[in-house]
Structure formats: C-alpha cells, structure tokens
Amino acid sequence: DIGLPFAGPELLARPRASGNAQRDTRLADFLIANRNDAQFIAATTNANTAAPIILATGEPVMAIGGFSGSDNILTLDQFKTMVGDNTVRFFVLQTQNNQPGDIARWVTTSCANVTSAIRPNAPRNAPTQNPGGEQTVYDCAGRK
C-alpha cells in the first residue's frame, strides 16, 4: 500500500497522521556539515534509500542503482572518478538491502566507515537507525 502512490477523493476520508513523529536528523546534519562542496550530499544504492535524505536536507542524493537498485547508472571507474573530483563524498548503505555490485563492494572495502561519528555512543561499526532500516555511512574521501 505505501509503495504505490494513488490519489482520489477517498484520501479525504482517511485519518491524517499526527505529524508528531520525531525524526532522527543526525544523518542529515552530519552530511550537510561535512559535505565539503560535493555536488551530491551522498550516494546510495537506490531511490528508496535516497528519498528520506533528500526530503530531510533538500539536497541532491545519487541513487546509483536507480529506483530499485538494479539499474546501475555508473561503472566502478566512473564512480571512483566522481569521488576523486568531489562530485560525491559519502555513501549510505541500507543494511537490510542486498548490496550487490562493484561500487557497493568497493565502498565497503575502500571507504572509511563513519557511522560512529553520527552516533557517537554506538560501537565503531554500528549502523545508524532510520525509518527505512539501519544504514551504514562511508566517507570515500577518507578512504582506508
């Protein structure tokens, strides 16, 4: 139901959400504070991971796998070039999603896990908690 958008008069009869739900803004705050003029505030594997970051920041996020994560828009070499020229610095991996592909593998083995900088009291490799599930944040400018 939530994955398929729809419109119509029946929406007026639905109860509205209270809007009182508190959101964890630490990821958005961290990405904005540490962006260093990168064109994209972060890259992700798909649009479902990118959307909450875009909504929280109003900034562009690159979904390298398109909507579902299966339509790779870049090769690994193209992504490395974009990291090198500061087009993108951070990469956000959704823990619950399968992370196939050369780019995600390269990020997890070559980029610095900075999740603990967002959640200081969390263990070093602990993912952040967001509405879509747990996320791990990597800084590709600060490679291992």
Side-chain angles (χ1 to χ4, degrees), residues 54-106:
I54 295 168
L55 292 173
T57 64
E59 299 292 337
V61 176
M62 181 188 308
I64 64 162
F67 179 75
S68 66
S70 61
D71 295 326
N72 290 323
I73 63 168
L74 301 170
T75 65
L76 176 56
D77 287 338
Q78 289 170 321
F79 183 74
K80 286 179 181 180
T81 298
M82 294 180 97
V83 167
D85 68 13
N86 198 38
T87 299
V88 64
R89 175 178 179 173
F90 295 104
F91 201 97
V92 179
L93 287 175
Q94 195 79 15
T95 305
Q96 69 191 39
N97 294 343
N98 184 12
Q99 307 299 334
D102 294 339
I103 295 172
R105 277 190 291 280
W106 179 79

Side-chain angles (χ1 to χ4, degrees), residues 1 14 19 27-28 34 39 41 52 64 68 73-74 76 86 109-110 112 115-117 121 124 129 132 134 140:
D1 183 19
R14 288 182 142 195
L27 175 61
N34 296 284
Q39 179 181 353
I41 196 164
I64 64 162
S68 66
I73 63 168
L74 301 170
L76 176 56
N86 198 38
T109 59
S110 302
T115 307
S116 62
N121 298 326
R124 186 176 191 282
Q129 197 62 13
E134 294 182 344
C140 293

